[in-house]
Amino acid sequence: MMIARRDPRPGRSRTLARPSLERAPARAAGAALLIMLALAGCEDSEIPQGMRIVGGDAQAGASFIREYGCPACHTIPGIRSADGIVGPPLTEFALRAFIAGQYPNTPDNLVRWVMNAPDMAPRTAMPDMGIPEDRARHIAAYLYTLR
Amino acid sequence: MAWVSISAVAPLFEGQEGVQSVYGPRSPQAEAILTLSNLVFVSGAVIFVLVMGLLAWAILSRRRHPPFRKTTFIALGGFVFPAVTLGALMVYTVLVSLRISTPPGDEALQIHVTGHMWWWEVHYLGPNGERIETANELRLPVDRPVSISVTTKDVIHSFWIPSLAGKIDMIPGHVNRVAFTPTETGITRGQCAEYCGEQHAKMAFYVVVKPADRFDDWLSTQARPAPAPITEQYQAGRAAFISEGCGSCHTVRGLAGANGEIGPDLTHVGGRLSIGAGWLNGSVGNLAGWIASSQHLKPGNRMPSFDRLDGPTLRALAAWLESLE
């Protein structure tokens, strides 16, 4: 399938070597191993330098996201029953250019936003939930795993 | 013999003493129910193994006749054994039932709980017989008997706090009673145990067992009307509550015009552990989310989604409600 997609012209793909059936399981296992290795390294290596949160622990962030009730308003991948429709979905949050459409999506801005959104955008519907800075850092770290 | 077997099975359930589990009893009544269920479970398992063993023997054995007389076998296995085991079990069950359904004395704390689709209305009777209303949460003093009378406004529900007592049906126009004595402080959870409609699963509540003096403090706070708003934002929130007509469904004691009875009493909503009947943590964020999208979070509940409030108004309303402790 991969081969056909690379070169959609009929006939051409036949000239390329096709994986033999005997080798397929080994290849699949190899690919799975590569994917697992890539995912294992995800936390550190795949988050760009500019988006690392000092002192942020994504796993702790996930539990604070549940505790502070973010799921009631936001759709957040990886958080159980986080399918809120009040605020914007946070899918691929690390790829977003702006926070609330007005602040560049930098770690500093994100931590400030999580701690006290109305302070930055007085018309926002997102309440100030009194989240202390260390917890906001964990939450931000989680949001930057969403790619 | 049964006791040895129970202790052998018990480790299976270790680590299950969660916030809502029959395997973590916190009252003598729940403990009696757990012992009874373990006994039934273990003796049922023993009899099952015995019967399967006999069956295997009958199929695999080359002998054409049993080693004992047929009539003896039928008399013992078909009559004496069931009569003795079922009889003993029945006597024990009746004793346990008597023990857990003994009405408590006058010193018991009286609470009324009314089921709604999908929340719980809770009334305490104060020392002078006055009614103190709250919702979706029970707070109880430790080591004092509690008598809970239950009924329902709509369909049949079932009131169940697994670690404190057995299930009891909530039937329209009829009052049932359940009594127990919590022996441990801490938080446990109750759940509607009879399918009551679309949001049956989201019909839960927390039970907070406290030392007696802290319970008394809490009850006297609950008896008071809602505190006056102390900040501009709270004032704006209260104004929004009135102008949006929230008071036609909700009561906030001390606020003129807010005496609705369709939804939970919100006089002290900010002090509760959850909103939406055990569904969301009680926090300002969840309150705002609930107000703006209650029909999305719990489809079919009686409250419309107030999604036409602007941001600051929504925040003010949520903040004011959270301040009502």
Side-chain angles (χ1 to χ4, degrees):
Chain A
M1 251 162 58
M2 283 274 281
I3 295 161
R5 198 186 267 174
R6 259 178 172 172
D7 193 345
R9 280 170 294 175
R12 278 298 295 262
S13 65
R14 290 178 189 278
T15 63
L16 295 166
R18 303 182 81 175
S20 76
L21 280 177
E22 294 80 52
R23 277 196 201 157
R27 275 166 191 257
L33 189 67
L34 276 178
I35 290 168
M36 277 162 67
L37 282 174
L39 285 178
C42 207
E43 296 252 324
D44 301 324
S45 63
E46 282 203 6
I47 293 168
Q49 194 75 35
M51 280 193 164
R52 289 188 198 161
I53 306 279
V54 180
D57 170 2
Q59 216 170 357
S63 68
F64 286 126
I65 282 173
R66 282 189 290 267
E67 188 181 323
Y68 284 102
C70 314
C73 292
H74 294 287
T75 294
I76 313 168
I79 306 284
R80 221 181 96 207
S81 63
D83 64 344
I85 53 166
V86 177
L90 304 183
T91 41
E92 300 186 334
F93 187 82
L95 307 178
R96 299 279 164 103
F98 287 92
I99 296 167
Q102 44 186 317
Y103 292 96
N105 189 1
T106 64
D108 281 355
N109 282 339
L110 181 57
V111 171
R112 260 182 74 203
W113 180 266
V114 171
M115 287 172 70
N116 188 348
D119 188 39
M120 293 170 76
R123 303 290 304 163
T124 183
M126 179 162 154
D128 166 12
M129 280 160 295
I131 303 179
E133 188 178 344
D134 53 336
R135 293 182 179 191
R137 282 184 180 281
H138 297 325
I139 292 173
Y142 183 83
L143 294 179
Y144 280 156
T145 65
L146 304 176
R147 311 180 58 79
Chain B
M1 189 199 87
W3 297 106
V4 177
S5 318
I6 288 167
S7 59
V9 170
L12 281 180
F13 306 117
E14 259 171 32
Q16 301 288 311
E17 299 85 359
V19 76
Q20 179 184 313
S21 169
V22 288
Y23 294 110
R26 299 182 191 185
S27 77
Q29 289 78 5
E31 222 166 296
I33 294 172
L34 177 60
T35 312
L36 175 63
S37 347
N38 277 339
L39 180 77
V40 171
F41 176 72
V42 170
S43 36
V46 167
I47 293 170
F48 177 79
V49 168
L50 199 74
V51 171
M52 287 300 121
L54 278 175
L55 184 66
W57 182 82
I59 292 171
L60 301 175
S61 166
R62 283 157 190 268
R63 300 175 64 148
R64 300 204 130 251
H65 300 287
F68 33 72
R69 282 176 49 212
K70 265 188 206 161
T71 44
T72 319
F73 182 70
I74 290 169
L76 284 177
F79 182 73
V80 177
F81 180 73
V84 169
T85 44
L86 292 180
L89 200 59
M90 194 190 73
V91 169
Y92 182 62
T93 308
V94 168
L95 289 177
V96 170
S97 305
L98 280 177
R99 193 176 152 207
I100 63 177
S101 62
T102 311
D106 290 341
E107 82 286 6
L109 179 70
Q110 301 288 329
I111 301 177
H112 294 268
V113 179
T114 306
H116 293 263
M117 285 157 77
W118 291 277
W119 61 281
W120 314 84
E121 180 185 327
V122 181
H123 292 159
Y124 287 80
L125 287 187
N128 308 316
E130 73 271 30
R131 230 175 76 146
I132 302 166
E133 185 167 344
T134 172
N136 294 332
E137 191 164 292
L138 285 180
R139 303 231 172 181
L140 307 171
V142 72
D143 292 331
R144 180 175 165 192
V146 187
S147 168
I148 301 182
S149 317
V150 304
T151 186
T152 167
K153 274 272 165 61
D154 38 54
V155 298
I156 294 176
H157 302 275
S158 177
F159 182 83
W160 190 34
I161 313 167
S163 43
L164 289 174
K167 296 169 191 165
I168 188 97
D169 274 350
M170 306 176 104
I171 298 165
H174 179 81
V175 175
N176 276 336
R177 199 162 272 117
V178 61
F180 56 87
T181 309
T183 46
E184 262 179 60
T185 56
I187 297 173
T188 171
R189 194 170 178 273
Q191 169 74 42
C192 178
E194 173 123 3
Y195 183 71
C196 59
E198 195 182 358
Q199 295 300 339
H200 162 68
K202 292 182 188 170
M203 181 154 177
F205 59 98
Y206 284 99
V207 183
V208 185
V209 180
K210 310 161 157 242
D213 51 337
R214 285 186 49 207
F215 169 79
D216 292 339
D217 291 348
W218 174 81
L219 193 61
S220 60
T221 309
Q222 294 294 307
R224 283 198 283 271
I230 48 165
T231 68
E232 256 176 51
Q233 193 191 30
Y234 294 169
Q235 270 167 14
R238 191 176 70 166
F241 186 88
I242 296 165
S243 64
E244 290 298 321
C246 310
S248 9
C249 293
H250 293 287
T251 294
V252 175
R253 276 171 276 137
L255 181 61
N259 50 13
E261 303 221 316
I262 294 171
D265 184 304
L266 300 181
T267 311
H268 297 287
V269 67
R272 292 180 201 154
L273 290 177
S274 78
I275 59 167
W279 176 234
L280 300 164
N281 291 346
S283 71
V284 67
N286 278 334
L287 280 164
W290 176 263
I291 295 165
S293 69
S294 65
Q295 285 303 317
H296 174 75
L297 292 170
K298 198 166 171 176
N301 85 83
R302 297 269 167 87
M303 177 165 152
S305 294
F306 283 78
D307 47 9
R308 59 213 156 82
L309 303 174
D310 62 23
T313 311
L314 180 64
R315 276 193 282 118
L317 183 48
W320 175 64
L321 288 171
E322 208 209 11
S323 78
L324 301 180
E325 286 193 27

